[in-house]
């Protein structure tokens, strides 16, 4: 049974839904969803199917992540790596089973014999059928160690697949937040341009009426020109963010795409506990740590393989052959049947020190894997600490930026009223406009940074999932 999934309208991925797996090598891949199913989607049992190509318009964060997980090449590569590791586990388990080889051959031969001036020619046809069986009966645990190493390598590949999926998840979310931030910056730039235009028109009207000086008109005109330039830059940044998000969901960068600009909605942060609990959770659940531990166990198993290579092996060999020869002359044909069964003991004596250096290489790989695990533990702990501290400071900054924006907006309203009444200066008005623009920009940056840091903390715990983008 095969299941084919059309992705991006460009190619078809066919995966075996119920692949022939007589040795059960893919049982450890149960946590790796097949192609065509959204990874990390636990809302539906067994996951949900990948969504169709994007039709345009507004797109929510959860939909961005779904499309990225289905279409990012890194996810397909990680899936293929895990499948390759499962196949190699099957190869290691196959060493427990006998091998049977069948041989069929057919040939024709001629023989000429001369004696006493006479010549005798004898041509004939030969047919051979042979069946060979070879079975390794006992090897002091070499096959067991090989299977253990392959199994741990498969577990490492499955954990690496999960890590890749979470990285794709986080990158897609960051692309979404970048576009959200760019949309907010453009909105602020357009509002600042509108306010500066009003100020310039008021100053120009005063100058035309003879109650305002030329300096005030030129200052407001300069501020208006600067606001236009800022708006143009914001439009360029918006187009770049749109292209980045479109590519992350498998679309062309010129696809028109937008996200909901309602930044009043903030997802919950209930998963954030005390630092000790967060560090413990990361040590247990982070896929990069699970992969590093599995690689260490695989290296330990390879040491056992190298050590047991010095021991003998016991194997069974059996052969059954049937040879038939038919001659064109009156010579009688030949029908020969052979059977043999042998038990063989192979004792390694000397191989040019190859096994010695294989053992040294296995121990060096173990030391390397152990150091990698220690480094990964430190890296994950630091990621949790930094994301936690950053989220704490940004949570406080959210309240501050909201108050700052309120104060700046009120100050601008007062400055505009004073300027229109002729009691406020141009510098006072321009300063109020600049303060309002800065406050609005800081509010947008704080909201975007808080969302991104919240997801980064969830990723550092190894807990990214669709629960973390619900309501975003």
């Amino acid at each position: 049974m095969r299941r084919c999934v059309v992705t991006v309208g460009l190619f078809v991925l066919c995966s075996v839904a119920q692949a022939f797996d007589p040795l059960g090598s893919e049982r450890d891949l149960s946590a790796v969803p097949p192609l065509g199913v959204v990874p990390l989607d636990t809302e539906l049992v067994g996951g949900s199917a990948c969504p169709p190509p994007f039709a345009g318009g507004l797109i929510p964060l959860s939909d961005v992540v779904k499309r990225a997980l289905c279409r990012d090449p890194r996810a397909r590569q990680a899936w293929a790596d895990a499948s390759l590791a499962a196949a190699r586990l099957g190869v290691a388990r196959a060493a427990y089973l006998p091998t049977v080889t069948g041989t069929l051959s057919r040939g024709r031969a001629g023989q000429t014999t001369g004696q006493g001036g006479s010549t005798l020619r004898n041509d004939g046809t030969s047919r051979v059928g042979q069946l060979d069986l070879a079975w390794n009966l006992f090897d002091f645990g070499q096959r067991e160690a090989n299977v253990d190493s392959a199994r741990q390598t498969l577990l490492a590949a499955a954990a690496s697949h999960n890590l890749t999926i979470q990285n794709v998840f986080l990158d897609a979310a960051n692309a979404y937040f970048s576009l959200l931030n760019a949309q907010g910056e453009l909105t602020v730039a357009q509002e600042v341009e509108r306010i500066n235009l009003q100020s310039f028109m008021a100053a120009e009207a005063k100058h035309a009426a003879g109650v305002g000086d030329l300096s005030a008109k030129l200052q407001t005109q300069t501020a208006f020109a600067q606001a236009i330039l800022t708006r143009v830059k914001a439009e360029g940044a918006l187009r770049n963010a749109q292209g980045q998000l479109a590519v992350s969901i498998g679309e062309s960068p010129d696809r028109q795409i937008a996200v909901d600009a309602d930044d009043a909605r903030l997802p919950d942060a209930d998963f954030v506990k005390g630092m000790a609990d967060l560090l413990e959770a990361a040590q247990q659940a982070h896929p990069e740590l699970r992969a590093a531990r599995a690689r260490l166990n695989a290296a330990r198993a390879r040491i056992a393989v190298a050590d047991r290579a010095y021991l003998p092996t016991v194997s069974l060999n059996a052969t059954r052959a049937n040879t038939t020869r038919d001659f064109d002359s009156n010579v009688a044909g030949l029908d020969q049947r052979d059977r043999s069964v042998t038990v063989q003991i192979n004792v390694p004596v000397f191989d040019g020190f190859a096994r010695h250096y294989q053992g040294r290489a296995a121990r060096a790989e173990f030391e390397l894997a152990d150091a990698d695990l220690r480094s990964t533990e430190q890296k994950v702990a630091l990621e949790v600490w930094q994301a936690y501290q950053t989220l704490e400071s940004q949570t406080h900054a959210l309240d501050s930026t909201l108050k700052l924006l309120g104060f700046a907006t009120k100050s601008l309203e007062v400055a505009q009223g004073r300027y229109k009444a002729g009691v406020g200066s141009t510098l006072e008005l321009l300063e109020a406009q600049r303060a309002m623009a800065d406050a609005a920009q800081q509010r947008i940056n704080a909201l975007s940074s808080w969302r991104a840091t919240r997801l980064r903390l969830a990723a550092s715990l190894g807990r990214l999932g669709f629960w973390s983008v619900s309501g975003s």
Side-chain angles (χ1 to χ4, degrees), residues 180-196 226-228 230-232 234-235 238 261 263 405 409 412 433-445 447:
L180 180 64
N181 191 72
Q183 288 182 177
E185 289 182 346
L186 178 58
T187 300
V188 170
Q190 290 171 338
E191 177 64 15
V192 170
E193 180 182 358
R194 185 189 66 81
I195 293 172
N196 277 276
Q226 182 64 44
I228 293 176
T230 302
R231 188 257 304 162
V232 171
E235 289 174 342
L238 176 65
D263 58 4
L405 181 58
T409 302
L412 177 60
Q433 291 175 175
R434 184 195 62 77
M436 193 282 296
D438 289 345
Q441 183 66 58
Q442 291 182 53
R443 176 62 179 173
I444 291 171
N445 291 338
L447 288 167

Side-chain angles (χ1 to χ4, degrees), residues 273-426:
K273 308 297 182 182
M275 177 52 61
D277 293 335
L278 293 178
L279 290 174
E280 178 63 25
Q283 291 297 316
Q284 296 297 326
H286 200 286
E288 191 170 3
L289 279 173
R290 295 205 309 269
R293 293 188 185 107
R295 286 193 294 267
L296 181 64
N297 292 331
R300 184 182 290 110
R302 284 193 291 271
I303 293 178
V305 173
D307 290 342
R308 293 169 187 175
Y310 290 95
L311 302 176
T313 60
V314 180
S315 59
L316 172 68
N317 297 282
T319 301
R320 182 182 179 88
N322 185 21
T323 303
T324 302
R325 291 187 177 89
D326 298 325
F327 298 99
D328 295 343
S329 63
N330 294 327
V331 179
L334 174 66
D335 188 3
Q336 178 180 338
R337 300 177 184 275
D338 299 303
R339 296 182 298 275
S340 67
V341 177
T342 60
V343 176
Q344 181 176 323
I345 299 178
N346 295 316
V347 181
V349 178
F350 181 71
D351 63 352
F353 302 105
R355 285 186 294 271
H356 169 72
Y357 287 106
Q358 288 171 355
R360 292 183 61 179
R363 285 169 173 78
E365 288 180 352
F366 178 82
E367 293 297 327
L368 183 62
D370 185 62
D372 178 65
L373 174 58
R374 302 293 175 260
S375 176
T376 303
E377 288 175 342
Q378 293 178 351
K379 172 189 172 185
V380 169
L382 182 59
E383 287 177 354
V384 173
W385 172 261
Q386 291 178 336
Y388 177 82
Q389 298 300 332
T390 304
L391 186 64
E392 285 285 296
S393 63
Q394 289 179 350
T395 300
H396 295 302
L398 282 177
D399 294 334
S400 299
T401 56
L402 183 60
K403 293 177 182 178
L404 177 61
L405 181 58
F407 296 152
T409 302
K410 186 63 176 177
S411 176
L412 177 60
E413 293 174 354
V414 173
Q416 287 175 327
R418 286 172 52 82
Y419 184 76
K420 290 178 180 179
V423 296
S425 67
T426 304

